[in-house]
Every structure is written in C-alpha cells, then in structure tokens.
Amino acid sequence: MLKQGLHHKLLQKLSPQQIQLMKLIQLPTQAFEERLKQEIEENPALDTGKEEPESFEDTLSNDSEYDDTGNEKIETDDINIDEYLSDDEFPSYKTQANNYSSDDDEKQVPYAAGTTFHQSLKNQLNTFRIDDEERAIAEFLVGSIDDSGYIRRDIIDLVDDLAFTQNVFTTEEKVTTVLKTVVQRLDPIGVGALDLKECLIIQLKSKPEKKSTSLAINILENAFDHFVKKHYKKLLEKFDIDEEQLKEVITEISKLNPKPGSSYAGNNKIAEQIVPDFSIRIIDGNLELTLNSRNAPELHVSREYNNMLKGYSKSKEKSKAQKDAVLFIKQKLDAAKWFIDAIKQRQQTLLVTMNAIMHRQEEYFLTGDERKLKPMILKDIADEIQMDVSTVSRVANSKYVSTPYGTKLIKDFFSESMKNDQGEDVSTREIKKILETVINEEEKRKPLTDEKLSKLLKEKGYPIARRTVAKYREQLDIPVARLRKEI
C-alpha cells in the first residue's frame, strides 16, 4: 500500500566550482600550465599580463536589467564563490613568483629525435643477404622484441602468428634458424634472446676467446641455476675450480648487460621530465620556500569584455540578439572571475601545506640526512593547517619539491612511526635507512640473515621483529642474504 510522508535529510554536496578547485589543486605544475592555456583559449574574457583591470564587481553591478536567460531584472552573482574561496589572509603578492629577471637562463635538458630501437634493428637487416621469406620472418621477430631486448614468446606461437598475420607459412626450424643466424647477430649484442641465460651466453660468445670466458659459458650452459642462486660451493665442486677462477667468471659475467635493449642510445621513449612544484633553499641557515609559477601567466578579466558589457547595459531597448550577447558576456566574465580566484586559492593551499611540511621536517631539509625525518602522516598536516586530509593528500601525491639534495616526491616525506627502546617515536624511513646502511657494511662473504639484522637493530635501539625486517628489506629492493653473498 502506497503512503505519503515527509522526511528531512541533511546532505553535504560539493558545488561544481569546488570540484574543479580540487582538480586544480591535484594538478602538478606542467599539467596546471596546460590547464591554464586551455582555459585562456576557451574563455575570451581572460587576459594575460600585468595590467590591472577595472573593478569586475562594479561592471556587473551596472548591468542589473537582465538575468541569465535574457529576462529583465536579475541577480548578477550567479557564480558566487566568495563563500568558500577567501584570500583575505594571503595578499596576492604571496601567490606570485616574480623573483626572476629577464636575464635568467632557464636551463632545460634537450631531447634529440633519433632512430628508434626497433627501427635501428630493422635497418641492420639490410646488411644481411637473405631471401624474401627470411626477411619477412626476421622483421616479424624484430617486431616481437620487447624494450629490454627479449623475445618472450614461444617459437610455435610465433610460427602461428606469421601464418595468420603475415601470410607466411613456415616451420619452427626455419624461424629458429633465422633467429640464431640473423636476429641474434644484431647490435646491441644479446637482443633476440628468449631468456636471460641465452642473452648472457650470446654476449660471452661474441667476446674474444679466453679461459675465463670459456669457463663462464660452460657454467651458464650447465649450471645456470646454481650460479643464479649463488651456490658457489656446488660450482667449485662441479667444475673442479678454485675460488680465484670462480671470481674471474663472476667478474666476466657481471660486465654483461642483462637488458641489452634498454641500453640502446637512440631508444626513443617519451622522456618524462620532472618539473618541481616547489623549491626549498637554505639561505643563511634558514629555509626558504617558493612556489614554481614561473611559466604561469598572470590572469585578469578582459577590459574589452567589461566595456562591451557596459555598452550593452546602456542601451535602453535591446533586441533578442543583444540580450543573448549580454548573457554570453556575463557568463564568460563570471567564469573568468571564478577561475582567477580558484588559482589564488590553489596557490594558497599549496604554499600553506608545503610550508607546514617543511617546518615539520626542518632537520632533514637542513642536513639532507634521511635519519632526521620525523614520523608524519597526512592527518598531522591536515590538523595543523586546518584542512581536510584529502586536500593534503592531493598536494602530497602528485607534487615534487626541489631541495639541495635533489628533487623529491612530497609523499616520500610521510611515514608511520615506531617507538625505539627509549619510548621515542621514530620514523620508519629512519629505520629503513639504518637497515640499508647495516646491509651495505656487512661482510659480503657472510651476509646477515633477517634474524641477525633484527638483533643488530635491537642493539641499536630499534626493537623490530624479523618479519618487519624482511618487509622493509623487500621495500628497499634488497635480496635475501643468500643472494647477497660474494666470494
């Protein structure tokens, strides 16, 4: 049975302007500059430069005869963002970076165009005397090589693909022959291998023949697993050699390139150049924070559009076309004002957030010692600057800061805390740094196990369990003790 009733609900919804503001905050510098260019192109009411425009609010107040649909008598504040965007505490000069002179040389790394890795391999095929079928197979094999230089598919699958996609009907033996005699002879040496073992052997066979090289090939061909797992005692017994000979083999193999494709000088990948969003410098022992807005133009509302709106507003009798023009101009001017205020709010938010992070991690920024990093989570900064955790997360996850010690991702300064033996909170980053130092200083003939590492850290005042040591070691991309062993 249907019933009617009244219900009261309290809902919180973000306005479209607030959502756009959050998106602007999340954008890193390069993406933000692209967003600025896009907005300038789409909204003719936005002008760039340092000219101070007339009062936008006064202009709108003069035109009070028409609403957004062209009807008489409207409210002009259709986009009122002042309720949640307020920059009273931050004057505009604090959100601009005008500390660059016209003589400054902005140095950037040039990226020259060149031949791609796969195109280079195809060009090398012209140096071989092969028939049309072999060339088609060789070109297909080159196209199957990944960026590391490997063919990671079974030969039978390649044969099937040649038949279906290239209309080349051949056999596994023919494909293998072309692979061995043509593709695997291309430069850089080692490309076209089916696995790491074959890649290393190909490189060794290309070297001048000597005793250590022949022994290295023999070990890789007949005891590859023992070598990879560093079972050195088994290798000494199996090949009846001494430690000095094994050292020569290890040295010989360590000079090889396990990823020959990635070493190609002309490998044209899209270069991702990091542009820092902030810069921290040490001046007279104090930290100075600046926001990177060098390439962001200063925006203001177009004087021309203001004058156009004034002109239309003075006309007593307006046609339908004039009413549509008034509506269009008002919408563009409103959007321009909102966008300018949103940029100021973005810059204010970024500066306030990064300033809090900088002062929280002041010891690190002054010394560069990661062991000086204090435990810090998003909520700590959010509480300090009285903003939402999600806002701090947007700033931290996608922004970089240039420091005297290199360009760092801001989120890397955040870490959980653990208590040492004195009951003090220490950062997990500090523990990882100490763990890394201990492993680097260990005796490589007898590397420390996770259990021994745990005991050493406890002696240093960091009581953490063996499983935690293993977790931190894996996060640092450090192998287990057996794989760190050296002769």
Side-chain angles (χ1 to χ4, degrees), residues 366-468:
L366 287 173
T367 63
D369 188 351
E370 291 190 6
R371 291 174 294 182
K372 300 292 185 180
L373 282 171
K374 296 179 180 178
M376 181 177 68
I377 59 176
L378 296 174
K379 191 175 184 305
D380 294 334
I381 301 300
D383 291 342
E384 183 175 337
I385 63 177
Q386 296 183 348
M387 290 186 181
D388 193 80
V389 173
S390 62
T391 302
V392 179
S393 176
R394 285 182 172 89
V395 175
N397 287 336
S398 57
K399 307 290 187 300
Y400 287 84
V401 57
S402 174
T403 73
Y405 324 106
T407 300
K408 310 288 184 181
L409 184 61
I410 295 175
K411 75 173 183 179
D412 290 343
F413 299 129
F414 291 84
S415 62
E416 298 289 340
S417 65
M418 293 185 67
K419 292 190 180 295
N420 59 17
D421 56 355
Q422 298 177 352
E424 300 173 342
D425 286 334
V426 293
S427 169
T428 53
R429 287 286 302 275
E430 177 183 339
I431 298 175
K432 289 180 185 178
K433 187 65 179 178
I434 293 173
L435 175 62
E436 188 176 19
T437 303
V438 170
I439 292 176
N440 289 336
E441 295 175 351
E442 70 184 357
E443 172 59 47
K444 295 304 180 182
R445 293 179 65 91
K446 295 180 180 180
L448 300 170
T449 63
D450 292 342
E451 186 67 35
K452 292 180 179 178
L453 288 171
S454 176
K455 291 180 180 178
L456 277 176
L457 289 175
K458 287 178 182 177
E459 292 174 3
K460 292 178 178 291
Y462 303 97
I464 58 176
R466 181 196 61 80
R467 293 181 63 181
T468 307

Side-chain angles (χ1 to χ4, degrees), residues 86-136:
S86 174
D87 56 354
D88 295 338
E89 298 180 2
F90 285 80
S92 60
Y93 72 86
K94 286 194 176 183
T95 61
Q96 298 292 336
N98 296 324
N99 54 335
Y100 300 99
S101 70
S102 58
D103 298 329
D104 282 349
D105 182 19
E106 185 173 1
K107 298 179 180 178
Q108 293 183 347
V109 180
Y111 294 95
T115 307
T116 64
F117 172 52
H118 289 86
Q119 188 59 49
S120 172
L121 296 178
K122 286 185 179 181
N123 291 342
Q124 293 178 55
L125 294 178
N126 297 326
T127 62
F128 291 85
R129 291 185 178 181
I130 50 180
D131 57 34
D132 292 342
E133 181 186 6
E134 290 173 335
R135 178 171 294 277

Side-chain angles (χ1 to χ4, degrees), residues 203-251:
Q203 294 180 60
L204 286 170
K205 288 183 176 180
S206 68
K207 289 177 173 291
E209 187 174 351
K210 58 182 181 179
K211 189 173 181 180
S212 61
T213 304
S214 301
L215 180 58
I217 294 173
N218 189 19
I219 289 177
L220 291 181
E221 286 180 337
N222 300 298
F224 182 73
D225 287 341
H226 289 337
F227 180 81
V228 170
K229 295 177 181 178
K230 296 193 175 183
H231 292 158
Y232 294 142
K233 288 185 178 180
K234 293 182 180 180
L235 292 176
L236 295 174
E237 295 174 359
K238 182 178 179 67
F239 295 94
D240 192 23
I241 55 178
D242 55 30
E243 286 191 0
E244 194 60 36
Q245 290 175 301
L246 184 55
K247 278 184 181 180
E248 292 180 6
V249 169
I250 294 172
T251 302

Side-chain angles (χ1 to χ4, degrees), residues 125-222:
L125 294 178
N126 297 326
T127 62
F128 291 85
R129 291 185 178 181
I130 50 180
D131 57 34
D132 292 342
E133 181 186 6
E134 290 173 335
R135 178 171 294 277
I137 295 172
E139 288 184 352
F140 183 81
L141 290 174
V142 166
S144 300
I145 295 175
D146 63 16
D147 290 338
S148 296
Y150 290 89
I151 295 178
R152 302 188 187 275
R153 304 184 61 201
D154 295 333
I155 298 297
I156 184 61
D157 293 333
L158 296 173
V159 172
D160 291 340
D161 279 355
L162 277 165
F164 284 113
T165 63
Q166 307 297 318
N167 201 28
V168 175
F169 297 92
T170 184
T171 62
E172 290 184 56
E173 291 75 16
K174 182 73 172 179
V175 172
T176 302
T177 300
V178 173
L179 177 65
K180 300 288 186 184
T181 60
V182 179
V183 177
Q184 291 183 352
R185 291 173 59 191
L186 300 177
D187 186 68
I189 300 298
V191 297
L194 300 178
D195 52 34
L196 176 61
K197 175 181 175 180
E198 187 177 26
C199 177
L200 298 177
I201 291 174
I202 291 172
Q203 294 180 60
L204 286 170
K205 288 183 176 180
S206 68
K207 289 177 173 291
E209 187 174 351
K210 58 182 181 179
K211 189 173 181 180
S212 61
T213 304
S214 301
L215 180 58
I217 294 173
N218 189 19
I219 289 177
L220 291 181
E221 286 180 337
N222 300 298

